[in-house]
Amino acid sequence: MDTIKIAVQKSGRLNEDSLRILKDCGVPIDNGKDQLRASARNFPLEVFYLRNGDIPQYLRDGVVDIAIIGENVLFEKGQDLEVAEKLGFSKCKVSVAVPKGSGYKSPADLQGKRIATSYPNTLSHFLDANGVKAEMHIINGSVEIAPNIGLADAICDIVSSGSTLFKNNLKEVDVIMRSEAVLAVSPHIGEKQAAILEQLRFRIRSVLRARDNRYVLMNVPDGKLQEIIRLLPGMRSPTVLPLAEEGWSSVHTVIPQERFWEVLDQVKQAGAEGILVCPIEKMVV
């Protein structure tokens, strides 16, 4: 049977999030301890657990057909590779940070300085775009300690919460790029594997839509029905059902997560009562 080969990060948060979205897509993976390859039980998919920085080359060589990988890694090592889908999780930034006491005002202040980084290509692109020449020290891991030990004047590294910068007395001064997990595709993917990829993308989109929306039920006085319906941003038109109590209706709708609290405040003020909010498992449109 034809299968599609997908690479995911061997360990860490991206690994966990990648396996979670596959599971939510109905593709659970049986993976024993320290196993480097595993197969899905009910979908033609085989998982390769690889080091994050090696994944772009595996895609380029056609060893794997697709991969879940951070945009920051693709920008650094695989700008030639196609992105099939943005996945919305494992978000972070690649940023420039300097000691808190620094008088940094603009990228021009990096002229002639020493910058420690694990992202030399990304940093070079940023420096070139700003007409700055600086000395790079390429470090794999623990980049944030470089200024404290006198190795560098600044760093360029991944920033998630900023707590690591704070602990090392650094401050973020420039965001070079914002990153999230993406589904990347090998240029050598076969026709049958491309068809399986489309099936997987359909499932992924359904899961991501569900994560971004909430199902809401509310009781509404009939006299306020049209006013509240106008406030709802849901799919096409809400479902309206009469309640056993005369003069009241039950309104069912879907509200985007980003507008959720704003809309709830509005409909409550307009007269909605008994508002229930439910997560959505899958959402097919």
Side-chain angles (χ1 to χ4, degrees), residues 96-111 113-114 147-148 152-155 168-174:
V96 174
V98 299
K100 288 182 180 177
S102 168
Y104 186 96
K105 295 180 180 177
S106 73
D109 293 328
L110 296 173
Q111 183 71 31
K113 297 294 176 64
R114 299 165 300 163
N148 289 334
D153 303 299
I155 69 166
N168 286 276
N169 201 37
L170 300 173
K171 62 180 180 180
E172 183 182 33
V173 290
D174 270 304

Coordinates of all heavy atoms in Angstrom, one line a residue, residues 96-111 113-114 147-148 152-155 168-174:
V96 N 16.5 40.0 17.8 CA 17.8 40.5 18.3 C 17.6 40.9 19.7 O 16.6 41.6 20.1 CB 18.3 41.6 17.4 CG1 19.6 42.2 18.0 CG2 18.6 41.1 16.0
A97 N 18.5 40.5 20.6 CA 18.5 41.0 22.0 C 19.8 41.5 22.5 O 20.9 41.0 22.0 CB 18.0 39.9 22.9
V98 N 19.8 42.5 23.4 CA 21.0 43.1 23.9 C 20.9 43.2 25.4 O 19.8 43.1 25.9 CB 21.2 44.5 23.2 CG1 21.4 44.4 21.7 CG2 20.1 45.4 23.6
P99 N 22.1 43.4 26.1 CA 22.0 43.6 27.5 C 21.1 44.8 27.9 O 21.0 45.8 27.1 CB 23.5 44.0 27.9 CG 24.2 43.2 26.8 CD 23.4 43.4 25.6
K100 N 20.4 44.7 29.0 CA 19.4 45.7 29.4 C 20.0 47.1 29.5 O 19.3 48.1 29.2 CB 18.7 45.3 30.7 CG 17.8 44.1 30.6 CD 17.2 43.7 31.9 CE 16.2 42.6 31.8 NZ 15.6 42.2 33.1
G101 N 21.2 47.2 29.9 CA 21.8 48.5 30.0 C 22.2 49.2 28.7 O 22.7 50.3 28.7
S102 N 22.0 48.4 27.6 CA 22.5 49.0 26.3 C 21.6 50.1 25.9 O 20.4 50.2 26.2 CB 22.4 47.8 25.3 OG 22.5 48.4 24.0
G103 N 22.2 51.1 25.2 CA 21.5 52.2 24.7 C 21.0 52.0 23.3 O 20.9 52.9 22.5
Y104 N 20.7 50.7 22.9 CA 20.2 50.4 21.6 C 19.0 51.2 21.1 O 18.0 51.2 21.8 CB 19.9 48.9 21.5 CG 19.6 48.3 20.2 CD1 20.6 47.7 19.4 CD2 18.3 48.4 19.6 CE1 20.3 47.2 18.2 CE2 18.0 47.9 18.4 CZ 19.0 47.3 17.7 OH 18.7 46.7 16.4
K105 N 19.1 51.7 19.9 CA 18.0 52.5 19.4 C 17.5 52.0 18.0 O 16.4 52.1 17.7 CB 18.4 54.0 19.2 CG 18.6 54.7 20.6 CD 19.0 56.1 20.4 CE 19.3 56.8 21.7 NZ 19.7 58.2 21.5
S106 N 18.5 51.4 17.2 CA 18.1 50.9 15.9 C 19.2 49.9 15.4 O 20.2 49.8 16.1 CB 18.1 52.1 14.9 OG 19.4 52.5 14.6
P107 N 18.9 49.1 14.4 CA 19.9 48.1 13.9 C 21.2 48.8 13.6 O 22.2 48.0 13.6 CB 19.2 47.6 12.6 CG 17.7 47.8 12.8 CD 17.6 49.0 13.6
A108 N 21.3 50.0 13.3 CA 22.6 50.7 13.0 C 23.5 50.6 14.2 O 24.7 50.6 14.0 CB 22.4 52.2 12.7
D109 N 23.0 50.4 15.4 CA 23.8 50.3 16.6 C 24.5 48.9 16.7 O 25.4 48.7 17.5 CB 22.9 50.4 17.9 CG 22.4 51.9 18.0 OD1 23.1 52.8 17.6 OD2 21.3 52.0 18.5
L110 N 24.2 48.0 15.7 CA 24.9 46.7 15.7 C 26.2 46.8 14.8 O 26.9 45.8 14.7 CB 24.0 45.7 15.1 CG 22.7 45.3 16.0 CD1 21.8 44.4 15.2 CD2 23.1 44.7 17.3
Q111 N 26.4 48.0 14.2 CA 27.6 48.1 13.3 C 28.9 47.8 14.1 O 29.1 48.3 15.1 CB 27.6 49.5 12.8 CG 28.7 49.8 11.8 CD 28.5 49.1 10.4 OE1 27.4 49.0 10.0 NE2 29.6 48.8 9.8
K113 N 29.6 45.3 15.8 CA 29.4 44.6 17.1 C 29.6 43.0 16.8 O 29.5 42.5 15.7 CB 28.1 44.9 17.7 CG 27.9 46.3 18.1 CD 28.9 46.7 19.2 CE 28.8 48.2 19.6 NZ 27.5 48.6 20.1
R114 N 29.7 42.3 17.9 CA 29.8 40.8 17.9 C 28.4 40.3 18.3 O 27.9 40.7 19.3 CB 30.8 40.3 18.8 CG 32.3 40.8 18.6 CD 33.2 40.5 19.8 NE 32.7 41.2 20.9 CZ 33.0 40.9 22.2 NH1 33.9 40.0 22.4 NH2 32.6 41.6 23.2
P147 N 26.6 37.2 25.8 CA 26.9 38.6 26.3 C 27.5 38.5 27.8 O 28.4 39.3 28.1 CB 25.6 39.4 26.3 CG 24.8 38.7 25.2 CD 25.2 37.2 25.4
N148 N 27.0 37.6 28.6 CA 27.4 37.6 30.0 C 28.8 37.1 30.2 O 29.5 37.4 31.2 CB 26.4 36.7 30.8 CG 25.1 37.3 31.0 OD1 24.9 38.5 31.0 ND2 24.0 36.5 31.1
A152 N 30.0 38.1 23.2 CA 29.2 38.8 22.2 C 28.6 40.1 22.8 O 28.4 40.1 24.0 CB 28.1 38.0 21.5
D153 N 28.3 41.0 21.9 CA 27.6 42.3 22.4 C 26.1 42.1 22.3 O 25.3 42.9 22.9 CB 28.0 43.5 21.5 CG 29.6 43.6 21.6 OD1 30.1 43.9 22.6 OD2 30.2 43.5 20.5
A154 N 25.6 41.2 21.5 CA 24.2 41.0 21.3 C 24.0 39.5 20.8 O 24.9 38.8 20.5 CB 23.7 41.9 20.2
I155 N 22.7 39.1 20.8 CA 22.4 37.8 20.3 C 21.2 37.9 19.3 O 20.5 38.8 19.3 CB 22.0 36.8 21.5 CG1 20.6 37.2 22.1 CG2 23.1 36.8 22.5 CD1 20.0 36.1 23.0
N168 N 18.7 36.3 31.8 CA 20.1 36.5 31.4 C 20.3 38.1 31.2 O 21.3 38.4 30.6 CB 20.4 35.8 30.1 CG 20.7 34.3 30.4 OD1 21.7 33.9 30.7 ND2 19.6 33.5 30.2
N169 N 19.4 38.9 31.8 CA 19.6 40.3 31.8 C 19.7 40.9 30.4 O 20.4 41.8 30.1 CB 20.9 40.7 32.6 CG 20.8 42.2 33.1 OD1 19.7 42.7 33.4 ND2 21.9 42.8 33.0
L170 N 18.8 40.3 29.5 CA 18.8 40.8 28.1 C 17.4 41.4 27.8 O 16.4 41.0 28.5 CB 19.1 39.6 27.1 CG 20.4 38.9 27.3 CD1 20.5 37.7 26.4 CD2 21.6 39.9 26.9
K171 N 17.3 42.2 26.8 CA 16.1 42.7 26.3 C 15.9 42.6 24.8 O 16.9 42.7 24.1 CB 15.9 44.2 26.7 CG 17.0 45.1 26.1 CD 16.7 46.6 26.5 CE 17.8 47.5 25.9 NZ 17.6 48.9 26.2
E172 N 14.7 42.3 24.4 CA 14.5 42.1 22.9 C 14.4 43.5 22.3 O 13.6 44.3 22.8 CB 13.1 41.3 22.8 CG 12.8 41.0 21.4 CD 11.4 40.3 21.3 OE1 10.5 40.6 22.1 OE2 11.2 39.5 20.4
V173 N 15.1 43.7 21.2 CA 15.1 45.0 20.6 C 14.6 45.0 19.2 O 14.1 46.1 18.7 CB 16.5 45.7 20.7 CG1 16.8 46.1 22.1 CG2 17.6 44.8 20.1
D174 N 14.7 43.9 18.5 CA 14.2 43.9 17.1 C 13.7 42.5 16.8 O 14.4 41.5 17.1 CB 15.3 44.2 16.1 CG 15.4 45.6 15.7 OD1 14.4 46.2 15.3 OD2 16.5 46.2 15.9

